Amino acid sequence: MFDAPARLVFAAFTRPDLLVRWYGAGGWRLVECAVDLRVGGYWRFVSQGPDGQRMGQSGHYRQITPPHRLVYTELFDDQSYPGETLVGHDFTELAGRTTVTTTLRFDTPDGRATALRYPMARGVTESYLRLAELLATTAEGRS
């Protein structure tokens, strides 16, 4: 849950100028961020870690319903499991606060099992803490 209206939280997930300020686990930052926000549009992120390591990921937008829903495919450049992942974010606002519910649908059960072995929960938590800080300081976030 974020202390900001859904329109701003949705924007933070879709605008490169905001994404580069919060997206990524601690020590990682976006060094490339391209967003063609339309159904069928392509997105691409390249993150760089503290040791200079790079990680690229990309996909296509499937559903865009601002500020309530965002659905896209995701594929990492060096993916260790088969197929694309379908990612869905639902943004639900109540009294100026927004809950983000994310659903990941992996192509195969083995892909899901492989992804669950990664420190994804830690990375998402660290990233969302940065997002919460950004939302707290963004003037647009004030209703």
Side-chain angles (χ1 to χ4, degrees), residues 67-90:
H68 305 291
R69 185 151 171 77
L70 183 66
V71 179
Y72 53 86
T73 60
E74 177 182 71
L75 185 66
F76 288 86
D77 291 357
D78 296 321
Q79 188 154 306
S80 61
Y81 50 90
E84 290 183 320
T85 301
L86 188 64
V87 179
H89 299 292
D90 290 296

Side-chain angles (χ1 to χ4, degrees), residues 44-120:
R44 172 126 178 105
F45 299 165
V46 177
S47 300
Q48 184 171 320
D51 60 358
Q53 178 184 2
R54 288 183 174 230
M55 178 178 62
Q57 64 196 103
S58 58
H60 291 90
Y61 292 104
R62 295 265 183 97
Q63 182 182 358
I64 303 165
T65 310
H68 305 291
R69 185 151 171 77
L70 183 66
V71 179
Y72 53 86
T73 60
E74 177 182 71
L75 185 66
F76 288 86
D77 291 357
D78 296 321
Q79 188 154 306
S80 61
Y81 50 90
E84 290 183 320
T85 301
L86 188 64
V87 179
H89 299 292
D90 290 296
F91 305 87
T92 307
E93 182 179 338
L94 180 62
R97 299 183 80 191
T98 302
T99 299
V100 178
T101 304
T102 301
T103 304
L104 302 172
R105 185 172 190 195
F106 293 90
D107 225 21
T108 67
D110 287 342
R112 178 182 179 273
T114 299
L116 287 173
R117 287 193 293 272
Y118 296 140
M120 187 181 350

Side-chain angles (χ1 to χ4, degrees), residues 123-136:
V124 170
T125 298
E126 292 170 357
S127 194
Y128 280 6
L129 288 171
R130 289 171 48 195
L131 174 56
E133 290 173 8
L134 171 67
L135 294 169

